[in-house]
Amino acid sequence: MTTCDVAIVGAGLGGCFLALLLGRSGRHVVVVEQGPTVPTAGADFVKRPGMQVLARHGLVGLVERHALKRDIVRYYHDGEPIQECRYPDGFLIRPYRELVEVIYSSCAMQGVEFWFDSQIDHLAGDGEHVEHLSLADGRELRAGVVIGADGTRSAVRQALGIDKESTSYPHLLRVATVPLTASIAQLNRLYFSSGGWFSYLYPVNHDQARVFVGLPAGEDGATFGAGAPALLDALRGFVTDSPDAYDVLGSASWHAIPIAAMRVSAYHKGNAALLGSAAFACHPMTGMGMSYTLHDAEILAEIICTAEGDPKLLEKMLETGYEPRRRMHGELIDYGDALSSTFPDRGAYLRSFRQDLHVFGDTEPIGEEFVKVMG
Ligand SMILES: Cc1cc2nc3c(=O)[nH]c(=O)nc-3n(C[C@H](O)[C@H](O)[C@H](O)COP(=O)(O)OP(=O)(O)OC[C@H]3O[C@@H](n4cnc5c(N)ncnc54)[C@H](O)[C@@H]3O)c2cc1C
């Protein structure tokens, strides 16, 4: 039996960042990750609230070093520009794996242990408090605090008996990584169509671009099943200002990405808490999941360190200091749901769009107009 102060299940952004903060505070942390490495695919944008958290912990320079910085997203509807959203401090584009690796590498200096290729079998305890984690390979881990940072299908959440409610969207999402073209390098462009399609094109580094295509669920088979010409024909109807993208999209390899909103009934139980995608999922077009997760990890680290191993104080602080995050995430999830329902309707989309949530998240009220409505 290994004993530690905090066991974190999941080595994604949330798990690694919390491990780093706790390691820096002298806590003995073990991160249990089912995969052989930190996750290889995921989000690309770190917005202002996330950059502020990274800056508070001296990490923004490390993250920025190989990142791209952008400050405008231009939106289109049925091929016409409809608005530009401006980000006063810019936002960072850094592929998820690289971002998580920066944080993971910093953990090594803090003595954080990572157990890769390790899955939990069950959590043992009295029903209110977790005493230890039993792993599938027979190892046991006793921890004062247990964090489920193990993604949307969280085994920790299930073991704690915390309910989740998922709602799917009427569209499917596909993504491809393609060679960078001049128009994609120039500006991030996000296109919607009244037919219920959307496409987002942006650079991920100096050589490559990411292209997302969303389309009504019923049209996926007839489009992606029918090969490149069917897809390109559909995109030509509304992706108008990215003509050179068609040179690279025909040969792209497309991957389906499951998306759904997810809410859970509680963020903690006894000495265990949920973090990141184990706790909430919102529509990716909000672009704020990582920023909220970084802030949540910061709050959790503060609570765990202040409680200093006192289980009653820990539970009280989780209830008063961490549980309220559920309401804030709820607002983001509701916003993502409302916004995504307006994608086909230009006027409704513009009316629903909340620049404060896109630019600042839940951290600050917006003081000025950062959205220019065009046309
Ligand atoms: C398509 C898409 C685009 C997005 N784009 C953005 C964006 O641009 N900006 C943004 O801020 N947010 C974005 N998000 C949200 C963002 O991806 C999440 O907020 C963030 O990845 C949450 O990190 P995490 O550490 O909770 O989860 P994850 O990265 O999912 O990490 C969970 C880890 O737990 C491990 N695990 C799972 N089960 C077990 C188990 N039983 N035992 C051990 N380990 C386990 C997994 O292998 C994984 O490594 C996007 C989301 C989606 C779906």
Side-chain angles (χ1 to χ4, degrees):
M1 171 90 69
T2 303
T3 301
C4 64
D5 296 319
V6 185
I8 299 174
V9 184
L13 179 73
C16 285
F17 187 58
L18 177 60
L20 175 62
L21 299 184
L22 292 169
R24 282 179 173 175
S25 304
R27 268 68 189 175
H28 177 198
V29 183
V30 175
V31 182
V32 177
E33 165 59 48
Q34 65 180 3
T37 62
V38 297
T40 52
D44 291 318
F45 300 111
V46 185
K47 303 265 196 75
R48 176 182 164 122
M51 287 162 61
Q52 287 176 329
V53 176
L54 293 170
R56 282 200 284 275
H57 300 281
L59 289 165
V60 82
L62 267 181
V63 171
E64 265 180 355
R65 197 167 294 162
H66 299 288
L68 297 180
K69 201 160 186 181
R70 313 287 274 192
D71 55 11
I72 296 180
V73 178
R74 185 177 294 167
Y75 294 74
Y76 294 74
H77 199 273
D78 284 344
E80 291 169 13
I82 55 169
Q83 70 171 359
E84 275 182 0
C85 186
R86 290 171 187 275
Y87 293 78
D89 301 323
F91 57 88
L92 299 179
I93 305 181
R94 185 100 199 248
Y96 191 63
R97 168 156 199 167
E98 292 178 22
L99 173 65
V100 179
E101 263 175 0
V102 163
I103 295 169
Y104 165 67
S105 307
S106 307
C107 285
M109 286 175 284
Q110 308 304 329
V112 176
E113 279 183 54
F114 281 82
W115 295 3
F116 287 108
D117 292 315
S118 302
Q119 260 188 321
I120 55 166
D121 182 57
H122 65 274
L123 305 185
D126 60 8
E128 289 303 317
H129 289 81
V130 181
E131 274 158 24
H132 68 264
L133 294 79
S134 290
L135 304 193
D137 61 11
R139 279 182 295 175
E140 296 199 323
L141 181 60
R142 184 183 294 282
V145 185
V146 174
I147 302 295
D150 49 348
T152 46
R153 293 197 204 131
S154 173
V156 172
R157 187 183 65 231
Q158 290 174 40
L160 294 173
I162 295 177
D163 296 328
K164 71 159 184 167
E165 185 193 314
S166 293
T167 36
S168 53
Y169 296 106
H171 41 260
L172 297 181
L173 197 56
R174 289 196 174 250
V175 66
T177 303
V178 296
L180 185 60
T181 68
S183 72
I184 303 176
Q186 183 201 26
L187 196 61
N188 284 25
R189 291 183 169 89
L190 177 46
Y191 297 91
F192 297 98
S193 85
S194 45
W197 283 61
F198 55 93
S199 185
Y200 192 19
L201 303 89
Y202 58 87
V204 281
N205 53 41
H206 296 294
D207 304 311
Q208 292 176 307
R210 204 89 75 205
V211 180
F212 280 88
V213 171
L215 74 172
E219 295 180 37
D220 187 69
T223 307
F224 284 94
L231 171 66
L232 298 189
D233 272 356
L235 294 178
R236 278 200 183 91
F238 70 103
V239 176
T240 45
D241 257 359
S242 313
D244 53 3
Y246 293 103
D247 300 338
V248 294
L249 289 180
S251 53
S253 167
W254 296 93
H255 304 280
I257 302 189
I259 50 167
M262 190 194 73
R263 298 165 171 80
V264 304
S265 56
Y267 274 13
H268 80 286
K269 184 173 179 188
N271 59 338
L274 303 176
L275 174 63
S277 299
F280 76 103
C282 53
H283 197 283
M285 283 301 162
T286 60
M288 276 290 171
M290 290 199 292
S291 287
Y292 280 46
T293 296
L294 288 167
H295 190 194
D296 298 339
E298 196 180 36
I299 293 170
L300 275 177
E302 178 74 29
I303 289 174
I304 292 167
C305 293
T306 307
E308 283 189 339
D310 176 340
K312 283 210 163 60
L313 182 57
L314 175 74
E315 202 169 341
K316 192 172 163 202
M317 291 185 72
L318 286 172
E319 182 60 32
T320 55
Y322 191 56
E323 203 62 42
R325 295 293 291 164
R326 203 152 60 91
R327 189 174 39 76
M328 289 167 194
H329 298 165
E331 188 187 359
L332 187 69
I333 299 167
D334 289 346
Y335 171 64
D337 289 358
L339 190 70
S340 65
S341 73
T342 67
F343 286 172
D345 181 333
R346 178 185 309 203
Y349 183 79
L350 288 172
R351 284 192 297 279
S352 303
F353 191 85
R354 279 188 56 188
Q355 62 222 46
D356 57 337
L357 283 180
H358 284 267
V359 178
F360 298 119
D362 60 352
T363 52
E364 301 161 56
I366 194 153
E368 299 168 46
E369 287 293 303
F370 293 109
V371 171
K372 184 173 94 180
V373 176
M374 305 164 85

